[in-house]
């Protein structure tokens, strides 16, 4: 098997990482391999055995320069001075067939100098969740890391729930640079390293940016657009810590994430998010908070500190309007409007208010809007009918509102109860539900598997996701 590695991170100063190989595993078994992504990455001649050996960490592919990256980060608002890849190994980078540089990283591949008390491993459930949900996000058209492979290790690991089967996911990202990567050097006062990192990030992601403040501006724009995209499909990331916030603006780290069924602004799934810091409706605030942390780090590179603070503050203060504009464009399209006005904002909000009051299913309500069945999502049908009348009048002037709606309102999303059901089956060796979901999520705007569009019954609801990843 040939992987055309072209590594750049490994040439950065030693302060950025620890070079080490993954820890080999006992009895690797390939669970999933993303052929399309492998082709995009320019991988050739991959035999099953080689894929299994490589993406379990048992064989280091030629020209890989494996390393664990250093970073820090705010976790639930508290600064943790040293995190780093505690269970991940960057095998290296390739330039894909679109000319984009991409990281290939194993996650769950054993202990590293950044493991702290952890075992360096991941269990099957979160590995398959990350695989399916990240690929679903990609198919939805939302910037995200992707999944290349999932391998069972043949080793059991201990989690709160007891002994569980271990697994490794191979993640592909346009980089693994995080807000926390900047924070670690800024907090330690390693300004030369911070400058090197900034130059590297600009060259890799925003080649038109001129200096740290321009980089901040670009990352803020990417994050504003990303969080609006999440909101538009009912996605709740669940751990928007600064170490899980990508400089490239991709969704990264699918731990306790979930898509909501019935709409509520305050929806939380993560069992450790007791305060609702990362609740659905708080995600825009948290994206801004994270960008403020990036700003704090980058200000240290300013020659004139006062001017740096002033410029960074202006950039952060512009973010609410940026998010609002991106949100409005997304949600306007969801109700069939191509160019939104301020009045349209009220129209959207009125629908969301009705949905929240009635606990209407987020995905199915929007998907049904072009049809006569939308009112079935509501208990107060008169209230919905009144809204629909205003809506119908508004979209009368739109060229093809149904087409607009159907290209942005998915028919199928990774519902939490389906993901849990898939994990349960996979734990007993049954990968059929995984395959089924994988097929359906590949074309989320076309309904191919009617059953998967149904919200959970009362008994099927999975209200919480656990962080014991
Ligand atoms: P996460 O919540 O997955 O973003 O992880 C936060 C930090 O904990 C990162 O530095 C991870 O590498 C580390 N970590 C999570 N799980 C483990 C584990 N089982 N062993 C070692 N480090 C871990
Ligand atoms: Mg993380």
């Amino acid at each position: 098997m040939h992987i055309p590695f072209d590594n750049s991170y490994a040439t950065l100063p030693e302060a950025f990482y620890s070079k080490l190989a993954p820890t080999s595993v006992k009895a690797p078994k390939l669970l999933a391999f993303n052929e399309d992504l492998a082709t995009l990455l320019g991988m050739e001649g991959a035999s099953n055995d080689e894929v299994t050996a490589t993406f379990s960490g048992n064989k280091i592919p030629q020209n890989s320069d494996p390393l664990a990256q250093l970073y820090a980060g705010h976790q639930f608002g508290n600064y943790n001075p040293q995190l780093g890849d505690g269970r991940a190994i960057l095998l290296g980078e390739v330039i894909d067939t679109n000319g984009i540089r991409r990281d290939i990283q194993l996650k769950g591949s054993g202990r590293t100098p950044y493991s702290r008390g952890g075992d360096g491993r991941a269990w099957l459930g979160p590995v398959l969740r990350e695989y399916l949900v990240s690929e679903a996000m990609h198919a939805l058209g939302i910037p995200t890391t992707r999944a290349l492979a999932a391998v069972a290790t043949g080793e059991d690991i201990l989690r709160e729930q007891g002994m569980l089967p271990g697994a490794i996911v191979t993640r592909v990202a346009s980089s693994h640079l995080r807000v926390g990567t900047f924070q670690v050097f800024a907090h330690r006062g390693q300004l030369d390293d911070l400058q090197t990192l900034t130059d590297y990030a600009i060259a890799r992601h925003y080649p038109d940016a001129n200096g740290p403040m321009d980089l901040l501006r670009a990352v803020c724009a990417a994050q504003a657009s990303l969080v609006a995209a999440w909101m538009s499909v009912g996605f709740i990331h669940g751990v928007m810590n600064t170490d899980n916030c990508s400089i490239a603006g991709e969704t990264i780290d699918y731990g306790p994430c979930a898509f909501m069924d019935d709409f509520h602004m305050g929806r939380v799934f993560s069992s450790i998010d007791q305060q609702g810091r990362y609740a659905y409706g708080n995600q825009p605030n948290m994206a801004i908070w994270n960008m403020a942390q990036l700003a704090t780090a980058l200000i240290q590179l300013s020659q004139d500190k006062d001017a740096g603070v002033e410029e960074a503050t202006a950039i952060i203060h512009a973010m609410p309007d940026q998010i609002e504009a991106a949100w409005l464009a997304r949600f306007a399209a969801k109700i069939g409007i191509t160019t939104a006005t301020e009045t349209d904002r009220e129209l959207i909000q009125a629908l969301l208010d009705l949905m929240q009051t009635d606990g209407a299913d987020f995905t199915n309500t929007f998907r049904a809007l072009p049809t006569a069945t939308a009112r079935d999502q509501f208990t107060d049908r008169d209230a919905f009918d009144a809204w629909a009348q205003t809506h119908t009048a508004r979209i009368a002037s739109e060229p093809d509102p149904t087409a607009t709606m159907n290209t942005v309102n998915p028919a199928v999303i990774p519902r939490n109860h389906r993901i849990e059901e898939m994990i349960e089956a996979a734990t007993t060796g049954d990968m059929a539900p995984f395959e089924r979901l994988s097929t359906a999520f590949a074309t989320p705007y076309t309904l191919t598997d009617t059953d998967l569009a149904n919200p959970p019954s009362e008994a099927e609801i999975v209200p919480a996701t656990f962080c014991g990843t």
Side-chain angles (χ1 to χ4, degrees):
M1 178 173 69
H2 177 69
I3 306 177
F5 283 112
D6 178 344
N7 305 327
S8 65
Y9 209 82
T11 67
L12 291 172
E14 279 176 24
F16 284 58
Y17 50 73
S18 298
K19 290 202 176 178
L20 82 159
T23 310
S24 55
V25 301
K26 208 159 63 186
K29 184 170 169 271
L30 188 62
L31 300 171
F33 184 58
N34 192 335
E35 301 273 359
D36 291 348
L37 183 55
T39 304
L40 178 72
L41 297 175
M43 289 174 56
E44 280 165 9
S47 75
N48 234 42
D49 284 355
E50 267 180 312
V51 166
T52 309
T54 303
F55 300 118
S56 63
N58 281 7
K59 181 179 175 227
I60 309 298
Q62 205 179 6
N63 299 325
S64 161
D65 197 349
L67 60 86
Q69 294 178 331
L70 171 75
Y71 52 85
H74 278 90
Q75 299 180 303
F76 290 91
N78 302 307
Y79 188 68
N80 189 329
Q82 187 173 317
L83 294 166
D85 292 330
R87 53 168 170 173
I89 295 285
L90 177 69
L91 290 179
E93 302 141 36
V94 301
I95 311 287
D96 74 16
T97 54
N98 296 328
I100 298 169
R101 178 177 293 278
R102 302 216 188 253
D103 281 6
I104 303 180
Q105 188 207 58
L106 305 182
K107 183 172 169 186
S109 50
R111 288 178 54 79
T112 76
Y114 315 115
S115 295
R116 297 171 291 156
D119 62 1
R121 295 296 183 188
W123 83 270
L124 185 68
V127 162
L128 296 181
R129 178 188 281 111
E130 169 149 357
Y131 192 111
L132 280 183
V133 180
S134 67
E135 284 301 303
M137 288 290 262
H138 172 72
L140 285 164
I142 297 177
T144 177
T145 62
R146 299 195 60 188
L148 179 62
V151 182
T153 60
E155 297 171 5
D156 282 346
I157 58 174
L158 183 65
R159 290 292 180 269
E160 259 173 54
Q161 307 94 306
M163 295 303 284
L164 296 166
I168 296 170
V169 61
T170 301
R171 175 159 77 180
V172 172
S174 66
S175 85
H176 284 83
L177 298 179
R178 309 142 191 273
V179 171
T181 321
F182 289 78
Q183 288 182 287
V184 73
F185 296 134
H187 276 258
R188 292 178 179 180
Q190 290 171 229
L191 297 190
D192 288 348
D193 291 323
L194 184 62
Q195 184 65 57
T196 302
L197 176 65
T198 300
D199 294 342
Y200 179 83
I202 289 174
R204 186 159 174 180
H205 296 299
Y206 305 102
D208 296 335
N210 181 19
M213 286 303 128
D214 236 20
L215 172 64
L216 177 63
R217 220 183 312 273
V219 180
C220 285
Q223 285 290 330
S225 157
L226 179 65
V227 78
W230 290 353
M231 301 299 278
S232 76
V233 293
F235 178 76
I236 301 164
H237 182 282
V239 249
M240 293 174 68
N241 293 336
T242 59
D243 53 308
N244 296 335
C245 181
S246 157
I247 296 302
E250 290 179 336
T251 312
I252 188 167
D253 245 320
Y254 290 82
C257 69
F259 284 75
M260 69 181 156
D261 299 303
D262 55 304
F263 177 71
H264 199 290
M265 283 299 279
R267 181 75 70 243
V268 175
F269 282 91
S270 171
S271 58
I272 59 165
D273 191 4
Q274 301 287 346
Q275 313 292 321
R277 180 180 170 90
Y278 301 133
Y280 172 78
N282 210 29
Q283 296 185 120
N285 289 335
M286 289 299 105
I288 297 167
W289 196 91
N290 287 346
M291 290 303 96
Q293 306 317 309
L294 179 62
T296 305
L298 287 173
I299 283 166
Q300 296 217 19
L301 295 176
S302 300
Q303 305 295 337
D304 176 345
K305 281 281 171 334
D306 289 345
V309 169
E310 200 174 318
E311 193 174 1
T313 304
I315 294 168
I316 299 301
H317 283 179
M319 251 192 115
D321 283 349
Q322 272 178 313
I323 295 176
E324 171 66 22
W327 183 96
L328 185 57
R330 291 260 178 191
F331 276 80
K334 288 179 79 65
I335 64 168
I337 295 167
T338 40
T339 308
T341 65
E342 255 319 295
T343 356
D344 293 331
R345 204 208 180 286
E346 287 159 32
L347 188 63
I348 296 161
Q349 192 56 53
L351 177 63
L352 292 174
D353 290 346
L354 289 176
M355 287 169 66
Q356 177 155 324
T357 305
D358 281 7
D361 187 82
F362 183 78
T363 304
N364 291 356
T365 302
F366 281 106
R367 184 69 185 188
L369 277 188
T371 73
T373 63
R375 68 195 301 272
D376 300 345
Q377 299 290 330
F378 296 84
T379 34
D380 187 350
R381 295 193 177 160
D382 292 343
F384 175 76
D385 289 344
W387 180 87
Q389 210 171 3
T390 315
H391 177 236
T392 305
R394 169 61 183 92
I395 62 174
S397 58
E398 290 288 332
D400 192 348
T402 298
T404 303
M405 288 188 260
N406 284 342
T407 46
V408 298
N409 293 329
V412 184
I413 44 122
R415 292 186 185 271
N416 212 24
H417 67 298
R418 293 296 188 179
I419 296 290
E420 290 298 330
E421 190 180 79
M422 173 281 294
I423 291 171
E424 222 168 279
T427 308
T428 68
D430 175 11
M431 290 296 286
F434 176 92
E435 297 301 338
R436 179 184 175 193
L437 295 184
S438 182
T439 303
F441 297 164
T443 56
Y445 298 104
T446 311
L447 187 57
T448 53
D449 191 334
T450 321
D451 230 20
L452 295 182
N454 291 331
S457 67
E458 202 68 41
E460 287 173 330
I461 293 173
V462 179
T465 47
F466 293 92
C467 223
T469 58

